[in-house]
Each structure stands twice: as C-alpha cells, then as structure tokens.
C-alpha cells in the first residue's frame, strides 16, 4: 500500500493493506514488525532513527530500534488522517486528512493548520532539506507550504482527476505526483528570490526521463 525509504537508502518502512507495518534494513536483510490498527500513513526520517505512523485520528512517533514511543507531541485530530510525513531532522511532522486540511506539528508544541484544499487530502511529504511540505488532494491540486514560516507558498494544477500521492526528489528542487487520471506530474519547487523555478512537466502517456 505504501513504502517510505530513508534518505541514506539503508532502511525502509512498508505499509500493507492489512495495516501491518514493517521496518526493513536493506543490508544486511532484516526487518521488524509493528502492531498498529488501521494504519493510513507512515514516514521515516533520513537517518533511519524515527518512523511516524498515522492510524485513525492519531499518530505516533517511534524509534526504529526497539519500537519505543517518544513523547506524544503529535496530538489526535478531529477527522481521520489519510497521510503522514516526518521532517528529515525528526523535529516536525505533518499530516493530511479527509476534510482537506494539512496540519504541521513542531516538537516544541506549536501547531499550524492549512485549509487550502477543497476536498480530501490524500498524501503529504517533506522536502529532504526540510524547507517545504507538499500535499496532494482529491480537488486535483497540489499545495506547497514553507515548513519554517508555516505559510502556504504555491498551488499547482494540471491533473484531471484526484491526486493520489506525492513525493519529493532528493534534490528538494522537484516533487512528483500521480493521479487517478493515470498521469504523472513533475513539478518545480518555489525558487529563492533571484532564482528561476524549474519547469513543470506532465506525463500523460508513456514514460520519459526527467532530471530530478
């Protein structure tokens, strides 16, 4: 159903249709299992230390080694969570929900709620440099937020049906999305002042190489 790979490529977490979560150490091959009810999203930090798991209206931040739960700084939500992401440094987390909202949580206790989408939000991701959050929605749009300032930055349109999943490239300069209309979008992130944003590319048929 979903997989999240750590930034160094040595570990990944998988989510199955039966809500079973497994953390895999790629070399040497080994894995551990977590018992979680109705898991809807998961995300690993780049250093493999922490995994964020969303289930129902709540989320947990766990240490990969020993499955120990950290301080519960991600509060329960009022509506079911549909996607989950944790920042590369593990100091912030983001969730998206069926009501279209995106919540940014910071470990020191602050919380920011975004309501830019007009339909259910399906997926959320942090950029590897920790600067941006991107969300994908059933309203056919994607939205980028600044994770540091807690502000909405840019909206993206191009898919003809709901956007199912979104993920950043390792460079943090692009992100890719897939839609129910079978198209793939590769989008340029907002660029710093004085710099040019990379062009957006829509792939509707076939596959072509896109530099990320």
């Amino acid at each position: 159903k979903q997989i999240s790979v750590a930034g160094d490529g040595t570990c990944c977490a998988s989510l199955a249709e039966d809500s079973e979560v497994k953390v895999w150490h790629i070399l040497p091959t080994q894995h551990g299992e977590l018992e979680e009810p109705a898991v809807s999203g998961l995300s690993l930090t780049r250093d493999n230390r922490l995994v964020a798991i969303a289930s129902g209206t709540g989320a947990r931040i766990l240490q990969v080694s020993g499955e120990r739960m950290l301080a519960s700084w991600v509060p329960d939500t009022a509506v079911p969570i549909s996607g989950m992401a944790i920042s590369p440094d593990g100091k912030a987390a983001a969730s998206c929900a069926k009501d279209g909202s995106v919540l940014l949580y910071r470990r020191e206790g602050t919380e920011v709620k975004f309501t830019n989408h007009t339909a259910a939000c399906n997926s959320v991701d942090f950029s590897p440099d920790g600067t941006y959050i991107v969300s994908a929605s059933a309203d056919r749009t994607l939205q980028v937020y600044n994770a540091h300032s807690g502000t909405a930055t840019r909206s993206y349109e191009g898919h003809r049906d709901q956007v199912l999943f979104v993920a950043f490239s390792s460079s943090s300069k692009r992100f890719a999305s897939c839609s129910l209309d079978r198209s793939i979008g590769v989008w340029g992130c907002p660029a710093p002042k004085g710099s040019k944003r990379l062009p957006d590319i829509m792939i509707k048929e076939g596959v072509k190489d896109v530099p990320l």
Side-chain angles (χ1 to χ4, degrees):
K1 184 177 179 180
Q2 185 180 344
I3 189 167
S4 177
V5 181
D8 61 8
T10 63
C11 181
C12 67
S14 63
L15 168 60
E17 289 289 348
D18 62 0
S19 295
E20 181 181 49
V21 175
K22 290 186 178 182
V23 178
W24 306 79
H25 297 273
I26 298 171
L27 291 174
T29 301
Q30 54 179 304
H31 73 276
E33 299 183 11
L34 303 177
E35 295 291 335
E36 295 288 338
V39 175
S40 56
L42 79 167
S43 178
L44 273 170
T45 54
R46 292 180 65 79
D47 60 8
N48 304 341
R49 292 188 308 107
L50 306 176
V51 59
I53 300 173
S55 176
T57 59
R60 298 205 298 162
I61 309 294
L62 302 173
Q63 284 186 337
V64 172
S65 177
E67 303 175 14
R68 183 172 68 87
M69 186 169 69
L70 303 181
S72 183
W73 50 273
V74 179
D76 287 353
T77 61
V79 293
I81 298 173
S82 50
M84 188 78 190
I86 190 168
S87 65
D89 61 6
K91 295 181 179 180
S95 67
C96 61
K98 295 296 184 181
D99 65 353
S101 64
V102 175
L103 290 173
L104 168 63
Y105 316 95
R106 298 189 180 97
R107 198 164 186 174
E108 68 268 21
T110 59
E111 178 182 322
V112 181
K113 183 176 183 178
F114 304 101
T115 57
N116 299 76
H117 291 298
T118 59
C121 194
N122 297 320
S123 177
V124 66
D125 194 27
F126 270 93
S127 62
D129 63 6
T131 301
Y132 295 111
I133 302 166
V134 63
S135 59
S137 172
D139 66 7
R140 307 181 185 182
T141 70
L142 299 108
Q143 179 71 52
V144 170
Y145 318 88
N146 188 302
H148 301 312
S149 64
T151 56
T153 304
R154 185 183 176 92
S155 181
Y156 295 77
E157 298 181 9
H159 291 295
R160 293 170 297 173
D161 208 331
Q162 66 170 298
V163 191
L164 302 174
F165 190 77
V166 64
F168 269 99
S169 70
S170 58
S171 69
S172 297
K173 294 180 179 180
R174 289 188 186 273
F175 56 92
S177 60
C178 62
S179 168
L180 199 60
D181 67 7
R182 300 186 179 182
S183 66
I184 295 172
V186 181
W187 315 88
C189 276
K193 191 173 182 179
S195 301
K196 189 174 181 180
R197 189 176 68 88
L198 294 176
D200 302 329
I201 301 170
M202 288 298 297
I203 306 172
K204 297 182 180 179
E205 292 183 8
V207 178
K208 58 183 177 181
D209 294 331
V210 178
L212 297 178

